[in-house]
Amino acid sequence: MEFFRVYGRVLGLLRDERRLAITLALANVVVAALQFYEPVLFGKVVDLLSNARNETTATLWSNARELLALWAVVGLGGIVANIVVSLQADRMAHRRRLGAMARYFEHVLVLPFAFHNAQHSGRLLKVMLTGVDHLFGIWLSFFRENLATFVALFVMLPLSLFMNWRLALLLIVLILFFAAANAWVVGKTDKLQARVEDHHSELASRAGDALGNIHLIQSFVRLAAETRELNRIIGETLAVQYPVLNWWALLSVLTRAASTITVISIFVLGTWLYTRGEASVGQIVSFMGFAAMLISRMDQASGFVSRIFFQMPALADFFRVIDHQTTVPDKPDGIDPGRARGDVDFEDVSFSYDGLRPALRHFSLHAPAGTTVALVGPTGAGKSTALSLLHRMWDPQSGTIRIDGIDHRDIRLESLRRNIGVVFQDSTMFYRSIADNLRIGKPDATQAELEQAARLAEAHDFILRQPQGYETLVGERGTTLSGGERQRLAIARALLKNPPILILDEATSALDSVTEARIQKALKVLMKGRTTLVIAHRLSTIRDADQVIVLDQGQIVERGGYRELMEKGRVFATLVASQQIGTESA
Ligand code: ADP
């Protein structure tokens, strides 16, 4: 059942080109039927020749001419149709393969952090590449082989019953044996194959993880350990794969033996029937031809079934990703308020990552447009969580977040995120030029705009010092730049985006004082005129903030202005005194 479901689903992906697919399918059925007519013609020729002595030369030639003409039409028609079909089918399969890849890619890109955190990107890539390759293979097999096999089973076999039912029964027995043997082996191997596929995915995750952390591996001298681990997984994969291969080898032996026995039986039964005058030589020849063709069809079908079973877990993985529903749904009739003013409100927001331990409890906050809110508190207090809820990396289990008074779940996701700029303390970069990385903020930015933003972000000088200036390629995830440089590029990127609301995560790591001062200056420029929610570690930022919110274990424990909180002399004052905040001299 699972087989038919997956097969149906794969063919269903051709929906976008439904008309062409149906035309191709029908044309294919015609091609296949013509192909199967050949053994019948062959039989007729043999009968004509074996009766030749009883006919006049004129009748013989007239019959022969008829047959030859028929044969020429069938043969030529088949060849032409075949060329057209295979060409079109191939093009369609290539088109749909890339189409499926684009669909997967788009889908994965909009899936929320919650999904990506639980998946390794290497695995996601492997699922995509393997998945679309399998889809491609199935589509091609469908048009090139499966339809012909279908015609063989449901058109040719019933027709052969009319030609000679005894010989036809032999063919039917052969088909039943093929089907039963396949079903048996599939039953024995499908669970094992799923395990093989799990191992393959583990291999992809592991290799992807290692390649993505090459610095870590080299600096911790993990080379041997990582290779050993990879070899261990390879060993396990093969250990599960071999028994599956044994089963399929056994199937191949069985079906080959059955085929040979069938051909011999047709010969023996045919000869016996011939001696009793119940079959012609031509019929025996036709049935031999049928048997040969059926055997090759069934071989193909059995190869196809085994392949699809090998591929089933990978296809299931592909569809699982495609079917994954986002946990931050974008309303179809969502509002696009254009550029927001920037009022931000959290109303009694509670959130838990796992549904058990709360990461944020009854969090409320009112930030009028253009003001700055500093979030402080120990690690794990829920500061990042609160901010990630604002741009809908997750949706809270209860409570509401409003932008300019509108529930942010009613705003189109794209519009919401266009209004919010994010500068993380460890900003990542694309493996592209510096200019391209900056243009993420504003795709149509001119060179002058890029430079202006870079100047304001104190990044222009160091960019010019790069070998190719703005066109210098940034290493994967920005590894060729220092932390401070990456941060300034991120600030320039946010300046280009120019959003009314800003989410900032101040760096905790100490930078040298010159860089530090430049970043502070750049951040000040960036924050000007925007509603800013900042995870603050520096006293200067906290002092300048309009309100300070102190979080602990997901709850607000104190709020107010810097002076007010210091005067209170409670949690905030203690944090400052214990130097848990304030990484620069006050
Ligand atoms: P802070 O930013 O104040 O250091 P976080 O908001 O990162 O705190 O974390 C709040 C709590 O939520 C912590 O207990 C943390 O372990 C947990 N947490 C953070 N991110 C995740 C995540 N992606 N999945 C599960 N738990 C998380």
Side-chain angles (χ1 to χ4, degrees):
M1 268 304 97
E2 180 67 5
F3 172 88
F4 290 108
R5 207 181 57 76
V6 171
Y7 191 47
R9 181 114 202 243
V10 172
L11 294 183
L13 288 177
L14 298 176
R15 207 170 354 188
D16 290 349
E17 301 197 36
R18 196 182 297 123
R19 276 210 172 151
L20 179 61
I22 293 173
T23 314
L24 278 175
L26 290 177
N28 242 300
V29 170
V30 174
V31 170
L34 288 179
Q35 220 177 20
F36 287 116
Y37 194 53
E38 275 186 28
V40 178
L41 282 174
F42 205 57
K44 282 187 193 293
V45 170
V46 171
D47 275 343
L48 183 83
L49 292 177
S50 51
N51 290 331
R53 265 194 235 118
N54 311 328
E55 307 272 0
T56 64
T57 319
T59 333
L60 187 65
W61 275 113
S62 123
N63 287 344
R65 261 199 305 276
E66 239 173 65
L67 270 178
L68 282 173
L70 202 56
W71 208 328
V73 171
V74 168
L76 274 178
I79 290 169
V80 172
N82 222 334
I83 291 173
V84 174
V85 164
S86 30
L87 214 61
Q88 284 300 327
D90 279 20
R91 288 180 185 192
M92 183 164 76
H94 275 281
R95 261 196 317 274
R96 297 317 325 151
R97 177 179 180 274
L98 293 176
M101 204 186 268
R103 186 170 154 201
Y104 179 96
F105 185 66
E106 277 172 28
H107 182 74
V108 167
L109 284 190
V110 298
L111 284 177
F113 264 29
F115 171 83
H116 288 282
N117 281 348
Q119 305 276 340
H120 194 281
S121 57
R123 183 175 180 280
L124 280 177
L125 194 64
K126 184 235 160 212
V127 169
M128 176 175 86
L129 294 177
T130 321
V132 297
D133 278 349
H134 292 346
L135 293 177
F136 179 76
I138 294 178
W139 291 327
L140 276 191
S141 301
F142 177 72
F143 289 113
R144 284 194 183 158
E145 302 156 6
N146 304 358
L147 274 170
T149 308
F150 187 80
V151 172
L153 292 181
F154 296 99
V155 180
M156 196 191 90
L157 264 187
L159 282 183
S160 68
L161 275 170
F162 289 107
M163 281 176 69
N164 189 313
W165 67 269
R166 290 186 185 88
L167 291 173
L169 273 183
L170 279 177
L171 294 181
I172 291 173
V173 170
L174 174 69
I175 302 283
L176 290 179
F177 179 79
F178 258 102
N182 265 285
W184 181 56
V185 170
V186 161
K188 292 280 177 205
T189 53
D190 63 342
K191 292 232 162 47
L192 283 174
Q193 188 57 36
R195 278 178 53 204
V196 172
E197 213 43 52
D198 284 346
H199 279 91
H200 278 300
S201 293
E202 196 187 341
L203 261 180
S205 298
R206 188 88 202 179
D209 203 24
L211 290 176
N213 289 299
I214 208 84
H215 287 149
L216 209 59
I217 290 180
Q218 290 183 352
S219 63
F220 279 84
V221 209
R222 290 273 311 162
L223 219 60
E226 287 295 324
T227 317
R228 207 168 38 242
E229 183 58 18
L230 212 67
N231 281 326
R232 184 190 62 76
I233 306 175
I234 289 174
E236 282 180 7
T237 312
L238 287 176
V240 201
Q241 183 76 82
Y242 285 162
V244 177
L245 296 179
N246 292 346
W247 279 108
W248 288 100
L250 176 67
L251 177 70
S252 166
V253 171
L254 284 179
T255 52
R256 254 162 230 290
S259 307
T260 313
I261 292 171
T262 309
V263 173
I264 294 171
S265 307
I266 288 177
F267 181 64
V268 173
L269 181 65
T271 313
W272 182 69
L273 289 173
Y274 176 73
T275 56
R276 291 165 52 106
E278 287 173 13
S280 69
V281 178
Q283 276 184 352
I284 300 170
V285 170
S286 293
F287 270 91
M288 293 277 216
F290 283 160
M293 203 168 268
L294 262 185
I295 288 164
S296 86
R297 289 271 155 233
M298 293 317 289
D299 259 350
Q300 264 171 6
S302 144
F304 175 75
V305 171
S306 75
R307 218 170 57 232
I308 223 178
F309 266 92
F310 278 125
Q311 298 172 349
M312 194 100 94
L315 283 168
D317 274 350
F318 182 85
F319 286 125
R320 208 171 297 131
V321 175
I322 288 274
D323 292 341
H324 196 95
Q325 295 292 323
T326 173
T327 47
V328 287
D330 202 6
K331 285 194 181 161
D333 54 350
I335 306 166
D336 183 356
R339 188 179 168 83
R341 215 172 40 247
D343 287 331
V344 173
D345 285 283
F346 281 69
E347 289 169 15
D348 198 23
V349 171
S350 294
F351 176 73
S352 159
Y353 286 97
D354 53 10
L356 300 169
R357 289 166 301 149
L360 203 65
R361 285 183 276 182
H362 306 293
F363 182 85
S364 291
L365 155 74
H366 172 63
T371 61
T372 299
V373 180
L375 298 178
V376 296
T379 311
K383 306 179 293 290
S384 319
T385 305
L387 298 193
S388 62
L389 294 177
L390 179 60
H391 61 140
R392 291 194 74 196
M393 286 299 148
W394 283 273
D395 272 346
Q397 276 92 1
S398 66
T400 314
I401 299 171
R402 294 183 200 282
I403 308 279
D404 293 352
I406 309 170
D407 185 335
H408 80 335
R409 281 169 295 200
D410 293 336
I411 300 175
R412 284 200 15 226
L413 206 53
E414 198 197 323
S415 168
L416 174 78
R417 291 186 181 158
R418 218 182 313 115
N419 275 298
I420 301 175
V422 183
V423 180
F424 293 119
Q425 57 166 295
D426 192 17
S427 301
T428 56
M429 297 285 146
F430 283 113
Y431 177 60
R432 298 175 196 169
S433 69
I434 290 181
D436 282 346
N437 267 294
L438 292 178
R439 280 206 180 88
I440 306 290
K442 187 178 181 203
D444 58 354
T446 61
Q447 182 65 25
E449 284 176 308
L450 292 189
E451 289 183 18
Q452 193 201 4
R455 274 202 189 89
L456 288 172
E458 302 282 319
H460 183 67
D461 295 349
F462 88 77
I463 296 175
L464 287 190
R465 281 199 303 273
Q466 302 292 313
Q468 274 108 35
Y470 280 79
E471 295 312 315
T472 310
L473 188 69
V474 169
E476 204 175 327
R477 276 169 294 134
T479 42
T480 53
L481 301 170
S482 74
E485 289 169 342
R486 274 206 300 276
Q487 219 173 9
R488 279 177 280 166
L489 284 188
I491 293 172
R493 196 154 68 181
L495 277 167
L496 282 164
K497 185 175 178 182
N498 189 24
I501 302 166
L502 202 62
I503 292 176
L504 283 184
D505 190 356
E506 253 182 1
T508 41
S509 50
L511 297 164
D512 64 88
S513 54
V514 179
T515 313
E516 180 67 54
R518 300 193 87 164
I519 288 180
Q520 288 300 318
K521 195 171 153 206
L523 279 176
K524 272 219 168 72
V525 174
L526 179 63
M527 287 159 73
K528 199 160 180 278
R530 303 179 211 276
T531 317
T532 307
L533 280 81
V534 51
I535 298 178
H537 299 285
R538 295 191 170 73
L539 275 180
S540 53
T541 314
I542 298 167
R543 266 204 221 105
D544 292 346
D546 298 287
Q547 40 176 331
V548 180
I549 290 189
V550 186
L551 273 168
D552 192 16
Q553 295 184 21
Q555 265 180 317
I556 298 180
V557 287
E558 241 176 1
R559 66 196 315 160
Y562 170 76
R563 272 176 179 286
E564 187 187 337
L565 293 180
M566 284 307 276
E567 276 162 17
K568 261 192 192 165
R570 291 175 47 203
V571 188
F572 179 72
T574 320
L575 279 174
V576 175
S578 65
Q579 293 196 331
Q580 282 196 38
I581 40 179
T583 48
E584 94 281 34
S585 51

